[in-house]
Amino acid sequence: MEVLEYFSASSEQLFDKSWASFFLKESQQAYFKSLINFLKKEEKTGPPLYPPKSLIFNAFYQVPLEQIKVVIMGQDPYHGCGQAHGLSFSVTQGVSSPPSLKNIFKELQNDLHIDPPKHGCLLNWAHQGVLMLNATLTVRESEPKSHYGQGWEIFTDHVIAEIVKLDRPIIFMLWGKSAQEKCLHLLKGDAQKKHLVLQTTHPSPFSAHSGFLGSRHFSQGNEYLVKNKLEPIDWSVK
């Protein structure tokens, strides 16, 4: 996987082996090679990029394809120093939780009576099969959406399509217009019948009170998992 060497000295460090054939296929595509060339130029000429290269594919390393239970779709990584680590909405330990994440914790408290945690690192969710994916996997420092239109959207469309093909029910939590537009065109017909699609507004302070707070997606998701004889998610942050 020579193309992937840009991201790490060892491509095996980038993702769980269950994703290997998918990454091999994507890395051979023209759009992916063009994306890497764009990132190389950005790295040389622009401000810092987030997350660090070794963490860009962290979600795929933490959640094997065959273990996915829930997909939470975000827009692009946090653009502040030390925040992003490859999982949408999550931040590294020691970093203050951004406003959207604080609203997620508010909804968890309202829905499942889980007290707000002391940190915002959501690795515990990933280890239980929650794939936290952004539509765009990199960003310039202090410039949200700065890497839109460079190929990441094609890549993450293909990720969603790969997940939709799985022969078991998956929960898609689509928070906000961006997440809904990203996924709904791939969740039609039989796919929509097979999976649970939960939609509401984004947890941002600008929209959380218009639907996200009170949506009860966490309890609805767990009820669906139990109904399908799957272990529910422990949504506490540890």
Side-chain angles (χ1 to χ4, degrees):
M1 297 188 190
E2 294 180 7
V3 175
L4 292 174
E5 290 179 0
Y6 166 76
F7 298 100
S8 174
S10 170
S11 61
E12 293 178 358
Q13 298 172 355
L14 296 173
F15 45 81
D16 177 85
K17 62 183 179 181
S18 65
W19 289 100
S21 61
F22 172 80
F23 271 85
L24 178 59
K25 178 179 66 177
E26 296 304 310
S27 69
Q28 294 172 343
Q29 302 301 310
Y31 87 87
F32 199 89
K33 295 175 182 179
S34 176
L35 170 62
I36 291 176
N37 288 333
F38 166 76
L39 292 173
K40 287 179 177 178
K41 290 178 182 177
E42 286 281 281
E43 193 175 35
K44 290 179 180 178
T45 62
L49 307 182
Y50 300 126
K53 282 195 293 187
S54 62
L55 294 176
I56 289 172
F57 295 122
N58 193 23
F60 302 93
Y61 182 78
Q62 301 297 337
V63 189
L65 179 61
E66 70 273 7
Q67 293 181 18
I68 296 173
K69 294 180 179 179
V70 181
V71 176
I72 297 178
M73 197 75 214
Q75 296 180 19
D76 59 350
Y78 294 124
H79 51 83
C81 181
Q83 291 180 308
H85 65 128
L87 310 179
S88 63
F89 295 103
S90 180
V91 293
T92 53
Q93 288 208 34
V95 173
S96 298
S97 296
S100 292
L101 186 53
K102 289 180 179 178
N103 281 331
I104 291 171
F105 294 150
K106 283 182 183 178
E107 177 58 18
L108 273 174
Q109 188 170 35
N110 293 335
D111 187 11
L112 295 174
H113 309 293
I114 295 174
D115 290 334
K118 296 180 179 178
H119 64 85
C121 182
L122 306 180
L123 274 173
N124 180 56
W125 296 4
H127 295 161
Q128 298 175 81
V130 180
L131 183 71
M132 289 163 274
L133 183 67
N134 282 310
T136 301
L137 300 191
T138 56
V139 68
R140 288 187 209 121
E141 183 177 52
S142 303
E143 294 185 52
K145 300 187 75 172
S146 51
H147 283 184
Y148 267 57
Q150 299 297 333
W152 279 129
E153 293 89 344
I154 300 172
F155 173 80
T156 49
D157 265 2
H158 293 174
V159 172
I160 297 299
E162 191 79 6
I163 295 168
V164 167
K165 290 188 299 185
L166 293 172
D167 190 24
R168 54 189 173 80
I170 305 293
I171 301 163
F172 289 85
M173 295 185 178
L174 309 182
W175 299 338
K177 184 178 179 181
S178 174
Q180 291 156 15
E181 290 178 344
K182 178 72 181 174
C183 297
L184 288 180
H185 71 288
L186 297 169
L187 288 162
K188 294 181 178 179
D190 291 340
Q192 192 171 29
K193 296 175 183 177
K194 182 169 61 174
H195 306 298
L196 177 65
V197 181
L198 300 174
Q199 303 179 60
T200 188
T201 60
H202 194 274
S204 160
F206 298 106
S207 56
H209 291 277
S210 300
F212 179 80
L213 294 174
S215 62
R216 300 187 63 250
H217 280 189
F218 301 107
S219 59
Q220 288 185 66
N222 275 354
E223 289 166 7
Y224 182 79
L225 290 171
V226 171
K227 179 182 176 182
N228 285 277
K229 297 180 172 55
L230 295 168
E231 189 73 20
I233 303 296
D234 175 5
W235 291 106
S236 60
V237 177
K238 298 177 179 178

